[in-house]
Amino acid sequence: MVLHCDFHSPVLKRNTHINVILPTPAEPDEPMLKDMKVLYLLHGLHGDETSWLHFSNIERYANDAQIAVVIPGVGNSFYQNMAHGEDFFTYVTEELYKFVQGLFPVSKKREDTFIAGLSMGGYGAWYLALACPEKYAATASFSGAVDVGFRYLAAAMPKDAPMPPMPFYVENCFGDPKTIAGSDRDVFALFEKAKAKGIVPRMYQSCGTADFLYAMNVAANKKLTEMGAEITWRETPGIDHVWDFWDSEIRWLINNWLLKD
């Protein structure tokens, strides 16, 4: 079942919306599951809380796996407490986290709580999980804009190749983009902090080889691996930045990686 929730967010200071997928029992006479594993699923740039429902089969995959899925909408915020905008980091990792645990029959355990996303949400999933590693056991990025500070991308690009464009509202999200690298918005710096704490979530990363973010993903994977990260990496030849890929990826992730011990 899919539940659409409208509620007032004190953090955002306005009404907001989420979609929650709760699996129906495998047999008609079985009660609704309690303490379900839960996946927070993040949308990409120009998307919202309906994107995964409209363009993928996530409801069916969640039901088959008997896992709850929470899909928030955050606009084009890059999941930040924005320099000029709303506090989406606090909203997702604190307010929404407590709201979901208080209202729905999901587990409160770290080992049962996961976060994944595509493109902007791929960065968001790693960013939120590495910033709050005590809350999320695993994190997955599909075609993610994971190196938002372009910290290691330039060295990996072919000579004279153009850098991927940053969206025009980057200053609204991050302030001066030159301050991102090495900051608490940078997944590399956050990984170092999580590693020092001894509590790094399991990490998954995938990208199509024809994706405009492929070089960024390869460079980020190389650097994080050198830093000691253990990342499950998958790439698909010839695939661009498309929903067919993300639908296939979320299905594979749930069935083959996310719920495995």
Side-chain angles (χ1 to χ4, degrees):
M1 70 180 76
V2 178
L3 304 177
H4 179 82
C5 301
D6 303 310
F7 62 97
H8 180 76
S9 164
V11 169
L12 301 179
K13 300 179 178 61
R14 61 173 174 82
N15 291 342
T16 189
H17 325 283
I18 62 171
N19 284 305
V20 178
I21 300 170
L22 295 179
T24 55
E27 299 295 336
D29 57 346
E30 290 183 2
M32 176 73 73
L33 292 175
K34 296 181 180 180
D35 297 325
M36 285 184 280
K37 297 178 187 294
V38 58
L39 169 64
Y40 290 82
L41 193 54
L42 309 184
H43 66 79
L45 205 63
H46 309 305
D48 61 20
E49 70 278 2
T50 68
S51 297
W52 278 101
L53 293 174
H54 285 156
F55 301 115
S56 81
N57 293 298
I58 183 58
E59 182 181 1
R60 176 161 58 89
Y61 305 151
N63 195 69
D64 290 347
Q66 295 288 283
I67 183 175
V69 177
V70 178
I71 313 173
V74 303
N76 295 326
S77 68
F78 274 82
Y79 299 85
Q80 301 295 304
N81 283 348
M82 299 173 71
H84 306 289
E86 297 169 298
D87 290 345
F88 285 105
F89 173 84
T90 301
Y91 164 66
V92 175
T93 62
E94 295 183 22
E95 185 176 47
L96 180 61
Y97 184 83
K98 294 176 182 177
F99 177 83
V100 168
Q101 290 187 347
L103 191 61
F104 300 102
V106 301
S107 173
K108 295 180 173 62
K109 297 177 181 178
R110 174 186 183 265
E111 59 263 33
D112 295 332
T113 306
F114 319 114
I115 189 165
L118 66 90
S119 196
M120 179 188 79
Y123 158 78
W126 275 14
Y127 162 60
L128 301 180
L130 292 171
C132 304
E134 71 285 352
K135 293 182 176 178
Y136 307 100
T139 181
S141 170
F142 311 136
S143 313
V146 289
D147 187 5
V148 292
F150 293 155
R151 192 171 178 183
Y152 300 106
L153 176 62
M157 294 288 286
K159 187 176 180 180
D160 300 324
M163 296 290 282
M166 286 294 279
F168 65 90
Y169 36 73
V170 63
E171 290 83 4
N172 289 339
C173 297
F174 300 99
D176 183 352
K178 295 178 181 178
T179 66
I180 298 172
S183 73
D184 60 4
R185 284 85 54 82
D186 176 20
V187 298
F188 306 97
L190 290 170
F191 173 80
E192 288 182 324
K193 291 181 179 180
K195 183 181 177 182
K197 294 178 182 177
I199 185 170
V200 178
R202 289 190 297 133
M203 298 178 70
Y204 177 93
Q205 181 184 16
S206 67
C207 196
T209 62
D211 196 303
F212 74 100
L213 292 175
Y214 177 69
M216 174 183 284
N217 276 267
V218 170
N221 183 278
K222 180 176 184 294
K223 181 59 183 178
L224 284 166
T225 300
E226 291 171 352
M227 295 168 65
E230 296 181 4
I231 304 172
T232 299
W233 164 264
R234 277 166 45 94
E235 64 179 55
T236 303
I239 294 296
D240 206 336
H241 211 68
V242 293
W243 271 103
D244 283 348
F245 175 66
W246 302 323
D247 178 67
S248 175
E249 278 296 293
I250 192 62
R251 183 181 188 183
W252 191 93
L253 187 88
I254 291 173
N255 292 338
N256 298 281
W257 187 83
L258 193 65
L259 304 181
K260 303 298 183 182
D261 295 330

